[in-house]
Each structure stands twice: as structure tokens, then as C-alpha cells.
Amino acid sequence: MENHETRPPGPPRGLPIDSDTAGDTVAEGRHRWWAFVRSHADVLAVISAGGALGSLGRWSVDELLPWSGTTFPWATFLVNVSGALALGVLMVLVVEVWPPRRYVRPFVGVGVLGGWTTFSTYVLEARDLLAAGRAATAFAYVGGSLVAGLVAVWLGIAAARLLAPGSRREGAR
């Protein structure tokens, strides 16, 4: 008769969790994760606060511009494109104009703009439009969002470089 061991669910003991942990065991990986969280708790708190603000803003726009499920989703389109524009401006400011600051990029870039913009809603709305038989609207939304977002981030970068005093890229205009 064969001997069958019962093992707890999860990764086998002593083996790496994944390639990112480079040989750590499960216990070592957990320890590294908690050490990272403890050493970056201030930045994680700043990101969380920014995310809450950005999400509340996006919710407000959704309330002002409700979506029927079959028309063009203007609320998501507007928040994603405006978020791309704002991210372009922000990156010029934090990389080329302002001195290094620990919390600006995490708070505004990851938190506020991460909460403001939404890829998941964008994809879900496109899927819903397709399911409702509105393929032309879905493709206009998907393509239009991509093109408008890329143009917006480019415009944000260009405008910030043009208007921001002290930009290190002033000669690149």
C-alpha cells in the first residue's frame, strides 16, 4: 500500500515563493514583506490618502455624468484623459523642476491620480458596450481613450515644460 502524506495547502516548504524572492522560503518572504511595509509605512499611508481623494473625485464625476450602459461613457473617458494630462504635468514638475521630495510622487501620482483614473472601469464599460451590441461605440471609446490619453500626457509634458520656471529641459523646447 502506498504512503500518502497530507500537506498543508500552499507552496511546498523550503522552495522559493516566486522568482521575485530569489530563493526565499515562505517564512523568509513573509518577513521581507513585513519589513518592507514597516520601512515604508509613511509612503504607503500617503498613497492611501491620495487614493481615497482621487477615488472620491472619480465617484463625483460618475455621479454627475451617469452612464446608461449603451452610450459613450463620458465620465470614465474624462477622468482617464484628464488624469493622463495631470500625470504629464506632474512628471515634469517632480523630475525636472522641483527638488526631490519623498511624498509628492506617491501622493499625487500613485495615490490621487491612481484613484482618479481607472483602467478596470474602462475595460468593463467597453465590454458592456460590446455585449449591448454597440460595437462602434465600444471601439470609438477604446481607441479614442487611448489616442486622447497619449495626446493628453504629451500636452501635459509640453505645457509644463513651457510654463514651469526652472525646467531643466528649457533648451529642449
Side-chain angles (χ1 to χ4, degrees), residues 57-91:
R58 182 178 75 224
W59 173 80
S60 298
V61 173
D62 287 340
E63 289 294 306
L64 290 171
L65 300 170
W67 183 55
S68 70
T70 59
T71 58
F72 193 89
W74 285 108
T76 304
F77 181 82
L78 291 173
V79 298
N80 285 342
V81 172
S82 65
L85 178 77
L87 190 59
V89 171
L90 176 70
M91 293 315 297

Side-chain angles (χ1 to χ4, degrees), residues 5-147:
E5 293 181 34
T6 58
R7 292 186 182 162
R13 296 183 189 272
L15 294 179
I17 298 171
D18 62 30
S19 60
D20 291 335
T21 60
D24 288 347
T25 63
V26 172
E28 290 166 340
R30 255 191 305 259
H31 173 73
R32 285 182 54 191
W33 187 82
W34 278 113
F36 174 82
V37 169
R38 280 193 309 272
S39 67
H40 294 86
D42 58 334
V43 174
L44 294 172
V46 164
I47 291 169
S48 297
L53 292 174
S55 297
L56 285 171
R58 182 178 75 224
W59 173 80
S60 298
V61 173
D62 287 340
E63 289 294 306
L64 290 171
L65 300 170
W67 183 55
S68 70
T70 59
T71 58
F72 193 89
W74 285 108
T76 304
F77 181 82
L78 291 173
V79 298
N80 285 342
V81 172
S82 65
L85 178 77
L87 190 59
V89 171
L90 176 70
M91 293 315 297
V92 169
L93 295 176
V94 299
V95 173
E96 299 176 13
V97 178
W98 296 335
R101 296 181 177 149
R102 180 169 171 85
Y103 301 118
V104 173
R105 190 184 303 198
F107 177 73
V108 181
V110 179
V112 174
L113 295 177
W116 175 252
T117 60
T118 173
F119 183 74
S120 58
T121 302
Y122 162 72
V123 173
L124 182 61
E125 289 169 344
R127 180 239 164 257
D128 289 349
L129 286 166
L130 287 172
R134 304 293 310 258
T137 303
F139 286 111
Y141 176 49
V142 169
S145 293
L146 177 62
V147 170

